[in-house]
């Protein structure tokens, strides 16, 4: 069996979204385990095996996206068609992924990378991290909005407004 970490490495380094490559990569040697004995050994994975595994995964992803697009209300469909699709994650880095997505969805497709990141931006600005960074930024934005709403409700300005209203009502 090939470990999950090794499978991810193979997907990024060797995998390709389109199997019709002019120069397919050579076979890929990985450390694995014998299925019967569990003893560690070197396993050779052919390009064909990689392509078949990736093709199944990509087909499932395509079906899910097509279903979501079909379920999109008509008033949003035109907006999506104009703006296109953003690919993120390790699979987005595979050779031919963008071209394949454009062919399947008939709309513009681009590679998504995290934005608005400071500090380790050279490390984080990678499609592999786009979804995680996006979720963190979304959560931060939601927390800030909640804090602003709380401050508006219970802040000092609101306290003066309530006091003013009380005095006007009672005097």
């Amino acid at each position: 069996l090939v470990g999950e970490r090794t499978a991810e490495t193979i997907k990024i380094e060797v995998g390709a979204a389109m199997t019709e490559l002019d120069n397919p990569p050579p076979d890929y040697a990985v450390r694995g385990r014998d299925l019967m004995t569990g003893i560690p050994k070197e396993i050779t994975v052919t390009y064909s095996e990689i392509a078949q595994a990736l093709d199944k995964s990509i087909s499932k992803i395509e079906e899910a996206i097509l279903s979501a697009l079909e379920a999109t209300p008509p008033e949003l469909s035109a907006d999506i068609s104009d703006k296109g699709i953003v690919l993120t994650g390790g699979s987005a880095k595979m050779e031919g992924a963008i071209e394949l997505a454009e062919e399947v969805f008939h709309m513009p497709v681009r590679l998504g990378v995290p934005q608005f990141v400071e500090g380790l931006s050279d490390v984080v600005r990678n499609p592999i991290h786009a979804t995680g960074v996006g979720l963190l930024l979304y959560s931060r934005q939601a927390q800030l909005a909640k804090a602003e709403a709380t401050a508006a409700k219970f802040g000092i300005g609101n306290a003066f407004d309530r006091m003013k209203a009380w005095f006007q009502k009672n005097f």
Side-chain angles (χ1 to χ4, degrees):
L1 298 172
V2 177
E4 204 172 299
R5 189 91 166 132
T6 306
E8 181 72 11
T9 303
I10 293 170
K11 177 179 75 175
I12 294 168
E13 291 178 4
V14 182
M18 300 180 83
T19 55
E20 301 89 24
L21 293 179
D22 294 333
N23 300 317
D27 293 348
Y28 200 78
V30 296
R31 294 279 304 151
R33 294 190 179 274
D34 185 280
L35 289 175
M36 300 299 259
T37 63
I39 297 172
K41 71 176 194 173
E42 188 171 284
I43 301 170
T44 301
V45 182
T46 67
Y47 175 74
S48 175
E49 292 169 327
I50 295 168
Q52 285 176 346
L54 292 174
D55 191 44
K56 287 178 187 175
S57 296
I58 289 171
S59 293
K60 287 180 183 178
I61 293 168
E62 288 170 357
E63 288 173 19
I65 294 170
L66 284 170
S67 293
L69 289 173
E70 288 170 1
T72 303
E75 60 273 10
L76 297 177
S77 293
D79 195 37
I80 292 172
S81 295
D82 291 343
K83 292 182 180 176
I85 293 175
V86 179
L87 293 183
T88 63
S91 299
K93 292 179 66 175
M94 291 189 311
E95 184 179 342
I98 292 173
E99 294 82 1
L100 177 63
E102 287 175 340
E103 189 178 303
V104 170
F105 302 115
H106 306 291
M107 62 180 69
V109 177
R110 70 177 176 85
L111 189 62
V113 294
Q115 298 177 356
F116 314 112
V117 178
E118 296 179 16
L120 296 173
S121 60
D122 56 327
V123 174
V124 179
R125 286 189 57 82
N126 185 324
I128 292 172
H129 306 298
T131 303
V133 170
L135 289 170
L136 289 171
L137 290 173
Y138 178 81
S139 174
R140 182 174 182 265
Q141 186 179 23
Q143 285 178 335
L144 289 175
K146 185 178 179 182
E148 287 175 8
T150 301
K153 184 176 180 183
F154 298 109
I156 193 109
N158 196 308
F160 285 125
D161 289 341
R162 287 184 286 158
M163 285 174 45
K164 180 180 171 184
W166 182 84
F167 277 109
Q168 286 175 342
K169 180 180 169 187
N170 294 304
F171 292 106

